[in-house]
Amino acid sequence: MKIFTNSIAKDTIRLTIVSFILQGLGLLLNVIISNKLGSASVGVMTLITSLFSFIMVLANGNIFISTSRFVSEEIGSGNRNVSKIMRLSMGFSFTLSTAFSAVSFALAKVISAYSGGTEELALSVRIIALSLPPAALGSCIKGYFNGNRNVKIPCIGDIIEFSAKWVSLMLGTVFLLDRGVSVYLMISVSILIGEVVSCIYFVMNYSAAYREFSALPMGKPRIEKVAAYLKFSLPIVASGYVQMIMSSLNEALVPIALLKYNSSTGRAMSEYGMFEAMIMPAVFFPSVILTSLSSIMIPEIAGASSAGNISRVRSLITKTFDRAFKYSFFIAGMLLMTGRGIGAVLCPSDTLVSETLVKMFPVVPFIYLEIVLEGIIKGLGRQNFSTLNSLCEYIIRILCVVIFVRLYGFAGVLISYYASNIYSNIVRIFFVCKVTGVRFSVVDFLVKPFMMCFFCCQISSAATKLFSFSSVLFETVIYLCIAAISFIILYELDKYFCRERASAKKKAAA
């Protein structure tokens, strides 16, 4: 049986296409708002979005990951009693989200005060609080379909959610901003609209699915009681809490540290806005293929582990490593060669974006590998390690921000990303290999990816020198297209020769 089946490949492609479109539109929205209101306003928008993400993770308890894993384990064990799992997951997520919604609504003024906001921010917190229950319910149902490997519905749900948010926010920016409506209010209302609309879509699809699977014969569920559910889910909840709390603390400290270095609120918020809304989205934009693969690997590895198929688990991880290392090295090379051009397109008024994209290239492989490594670790059910390692990662990042941003300004932010990502992801690689028995191949995972990246860069550089370009954008696009074609050709050739060697070994052994 093929370890990477056509189903996995098709699902990854579907999720990737949707994520590319949504992240591209999100980046475009940031650029539009930056051009209209200035990069400092993008920083404010980023802070509000971070606040929502913080409250959302606390309110839904990482329910998407836990539901996806529990459903896939239930199916993998052969019992297929997912109705019990879904009742427990829905009850848990609704109880938790309703409690946090009530607390957030009641303490809106306190949250606003500690966030340095005004009465308008307090109103925004109350609106966000109303969106927590539908958002949690939608995440729970989305986890069911992901665990059942029906990724079409989560994809459409994401499109609906983003479209509702994007359209409402754009309409507010165009028609209401000049009439005195605050950015806080527009963003919070767009979040509420997006979560409610997508939740309705998920509930309608789950109702139809429930009528089908509830009528099928089922065995005794692996998780039958609330106590057992909490035992398995609380480590996942704790992992999400640790990551979000530490991430939010880091994001809050960055503008404060930049302010102390710059002595200018406008410049500090501008640098923060460009980093969070342009630089990091540009860095993460190509990673959507790995994000899609990671979300699929969680139920695949969980199901194989539940069935006791260790050989399949190892093969899945080896194949995932092979793809992740090659792709992450390639993107790192693209940032090195075209980072200045991409930055000039995103923010022509400030060279910070261009310079930073180039400086980020050495750490990109570590950032990208974290995406698939966390998916593998969650699929293996090793949440405690994930929580501890994430805690260490953010402690390093926060310490670097506190120490180096005050000394070197924005360069200190880059130091924090270098130190935390390199350390934590080397530890993740060692842990996964040790737990699963996967052999780390230096040739396959380091030498080959580096050589493929090097040849792609050389081929693209030689090809683009043959032409004269009228704009930086056009030259950058042509370079990336030639490099992408070269990478696909080299990747397919490598797969072909690997298959031929494997076939020759089998014939020799026979």
Side-chain angles (χ1 to χ4, degrees), residues 12-32:
T12 303
I13 291 171
R14 288 192 190 103
L15 289 173
T16 299
I17 292 173
V18 171
S19 298
F20 265 130
I21 294 172
L22 299 187
Q23 288 203 23
L25 290 174
L27 186 58
L28 176 62
L29 178 62
N30 290 338
V31 172
I32 292 172

Side-chain angles (χ1 to χ4, degrees), residues 3 12 19 37 40 50 55 112 120 122 179 236 292 335 363 376 378 380 385 427 442 459 509:
I3 297 304
T12 303
S19 298
L37 305 176
S50 299
I55 298 174
S112 174
E120 292 174 334
R179 299 182 180 182
I236 301 176
S292 302
L335 277 183
V363 79
I376 292 169
K378 288 180 173 66
L380 293 170
F385 168 80
V427 172
V442 174
I459 293 169

Side-chain angles (χ1 to χ4, degrees), residues 34 39-40 254 258 261-262 266-280 282-283 335 338-361 405 408-414:
S34 177
S39 54
V254 169
L258 287 172
Y261 178 82
N262 287 309
R267 182 57 188 173
M269 290 304 297
S270 178
E271 289 181 347
Y272 176 73
M274 284 186 285
F275 182 73
E276 291 291 342
M278 295 183 187
I279 296 170
M280 293 313 296
V283 169
L335 277 183
T338 65
R340 292 189 183 277
I342 295 171
V345 172
L346 293 177
C347 187
S349 61
D350 200 312
T351 60
L352 180 68
V353 177
S354 299
E355 294 171 355
T356 304
L357 287 177
V358 175
K359 292 175 182 177
M360 290 285 287
F361 93 90
V405 174
Y408 305 112
F410 189 79
V413 179
L414 300 185

Side-chain angles (χ1 to χ4, degrees), residues 8-225:
I8 294 177
K10 289 179 181 178
D11 289 346
T12 303
I13 291 171
R14 288 192 190 103
L15 289 173
T16 299
I17 292 173
V18 171
S19 298
F20 265 130
I21 294 172
L22 299 187
Q23 288 203 23
L25 290 174
L27 186 58
L28 176 62
L29 178 62
N30 290 338
V31 172
I32 292 172
I33 293 177
S34 177
N35 292 335
K36 185 176 179 63
L37 305 176
S39 54
S41 295
V42 179
V44 173
M45 186 178 75
T46 303
L47 284 173
I48 299 172
T49 306
S50 299
L51 176 62
F52 168 73
S53 299
F54 175 77
I55 298 174
M56 186 65 240
V57 170
L58 294 179
N60 74 8
N62 235 353
I63 196 67
F64 169 77
I65 292 175
S66 59
T67 303
S68 179
R69 182 184 137 197
F70 295 158
V71 167
S72 61
E73 288 178 343
E74 185 69 24
I75 294 173
S77 66
N79 297 326
R80 306 188 68 86
N81 196 341
V82 294
S83 58
K84 182 65 176 180
I85 296 294
M86 289 305 296
R87 284 197 295 270
L88 291 170
S89 292
M90 286 183 174
F92 178 73
S93 64
F94 183 77
T95 301
L96 195 63
S97 61
T98 302
F100 272 98
S101 178
V103 171
S104 300
F105 196 93
L107 300 179
K109 289 186 177 180
V110 177
I111 295 172
S112 174
Y114 275 102
S115 303
T118 61
E119 185 67 29
E120 292 174 334
L121 181 57
L123 177 59
S124 299
V125 171
R126 291 191 177 98
I127 295 173
I128 289 174
L130 296 176
S131 70
L132 297 181
L137 181 59
S139 295
C140 183
I141 298 175
K142 184 178 174 183
Y144 161 76
F145 285 110
N146 189 72
N148 205 31
R149 292 296 311 283
N150 184 358
V151 300
K152 178 182 178 181
I153 291 175
C155 284
I156 296 175
D158 288 341
I159 294 173
I160 292 173
E161 178 186 341
F162 182 86
S163 299
K165 290 180 181 178
W166 194 85
V167 170
S168 59
L169 186 56
M170 285 299 297
L171 290 175
T173 302
V174 173
F175 297 107
L176 300 178
L177 194 63
D178 295 335
R179 299 182 180 182
V181 179
S182 70
V183 175
Y184 299 118
L185 185 60
M186 288 191 303
I187 295 173
S188 58
V189 170
S190 69
I191 289 172
L192 177 61
I193 292 173
E195 297 297 345
V196 170
V197 172
S198 63
C199 180
I200 293 172
Y201 170 79
F202 284 128
V203 169
M204 290 173 62
N205 281 275
Y206 179 74
S207 298
Y210 179 80
R211 285 193 294 270
E212 294 180 6
F213 72 71
S214 62
L216 299 174
M218 302 177 188
K220 185 178 180 180
R222 296 179 72 253
I223 302 176
E224 191 171 4
K225 298 182 179 180

Side-chain angles (χ1 to χ4, degrees), residues 503-510:
S503 178
K505 287 181 180 179
K506 286 183 179 179
K507 289 180 180 179

